[in-house]
Amino acid sequence: MKKSYLWLLGIVLVIVLGALGLHQVNSQQTKSATITVGSMGSDYAIWQHIAKSAEAKKLGLKIKVKQVTDGVQLNKATAEGSIDVNAFQSWTYYVAFNKQSKSSKLAALGTTYMEPMGIYSKKYKKVKDIPDGATIAVADNPSQQARGLVLLQKAGLIKLKKNFDVALGSINDIASNPKKLKFKQIDDTTGPRVLHTVDAVLISNTVALEGHLHVLSDSIYHEAVDQSTKANINILATAKKNKNNENYKKLVTLYHEKSIQKYIKDKYYGTKVNVAKPLSYIEK
């Protein structure tokens, strides 16, 4: 009788433990479907729209969008886990962060879009009109400054060293400056506000949009969206330990849904060019 009792108790214990395990798995699945996306500027507005979309519901994703106004802090929060996924940075910005971060590393989940950086001026209508000794405002953060210098080289204003680092290169890597241009380093978010105080400013499209500037019509020169600018494609990023999270990867698919892309195109006048490419396209 005692053996039968122990046998029955064992069966009950297995059932209870199994139920607890199933509950834990279900809780983890529910939790994993709630994703905190950190972003800023126009990307923040886009992800607010995506979070409320029917497409997100179809994928079973509950998305909470958090606004963080500093890119470095947003990347740190993502690497440390208080933000699950971030949506704001270019590939070069991501590479620069991982190079500079000694411990907290990020992993890219997928591509989103490419938006051209532009050279803006209130004084001159063409790049060739920029005079000798002119002052050009460039971003003080490494990736944006490097990107801006590459654009100045393409515009024919400067020449960079052959081994120029597109993620961390700086004004110290200018090999030739025939016009003897002067460079003023600024917080890149203040670009539209300093337009009247310098001869020209390099402004990313996200910042330009916030300053009511349209890169395709208001800039005097801007990047082409092609193979040569692939390092400037924007990505979704997460902590390195979460790189294989399937729910996080679904955000990439969600971003490229036709209805989401129509919303983005209509709202931002085609300045955010959809790029649905594998990460290998950028890494090559």
Side-chain angles (χ1 to χ4, degrees), residues 114-133:
M114 158 72 185
E115 53 186 344
M117 173 181 277
I119 302 174
Y120 295 81
S121 177
K122 286 292 185 183
K123 298 180 180 180
Y124 309 104
K125 293 183 178 181
K126 296 180 180 180
V127 169
K128 66 179 183 180
D129 297 333
I130 296 175
D132 291 358

Side-chain angles (χ1 to χ4, degrees), residues 128-224:
K128 66 179 183 180
D129 297 333
I130 296 175
D132 291 358
T135 298
I136 311 293
V138 298
D140 61 3
N141 78 68
S143 70
Q144 289 294 83
Q145 184 172 129
R147 180 176 179 178
L149 291 173
V150 170
L151 182 57
L152 289 175
Q153 177 172 255
K154 285 187 177 181
L157 292 171
I158 61 171
K159 285 187 179 180
L160 301 169
K161 294 178 181 177
K162 289 183 179 180
N163 61 345
F164 184 77
D165 187 334
V166 295
L168 294 171
S170 73
I171 54 178
N172 295 323
D173 298 312
I174 295 173
S176 175
N177 181 9
K179 283 181 172 284
K180 295 182 172 53
L181 300 173
K182 299 172 184 176
F183 297 96
K184 180 179 181 179
Q185 299 187 60
I186 62 168
D187 178 334
D188 61 324
T189 63
T190 65
R193 298 201 294 274
V194 304
L195 258 175
H196 293 281
T197 65
V198 293
D199 295 293
V201 188
L202 291 157
I203 308 176
S204 67
N205 189 55
T206 296
V207 175
L209 286 170
E210 291 173 358
H212 307 290
L213 296 169
H214 190 307
V215 66
L216 303 181
S217 57
D218 295 327
S219 68
I220 61 173
Y221 191 86
H222 59 78
E223 291 173 327

Side-chain angles (χ1 to χ4, degrees), residues 259-272:
S259 61
I260 300 297
Q261 284 304 307
K262 184 180 185 307
Y263 165 82
I264 295 170
K265 184 177 180 180
D266 291 346
K267 187 171 179 63
Y268 299 104
Y269 319 108
T271 63
K272 293 178 181 284

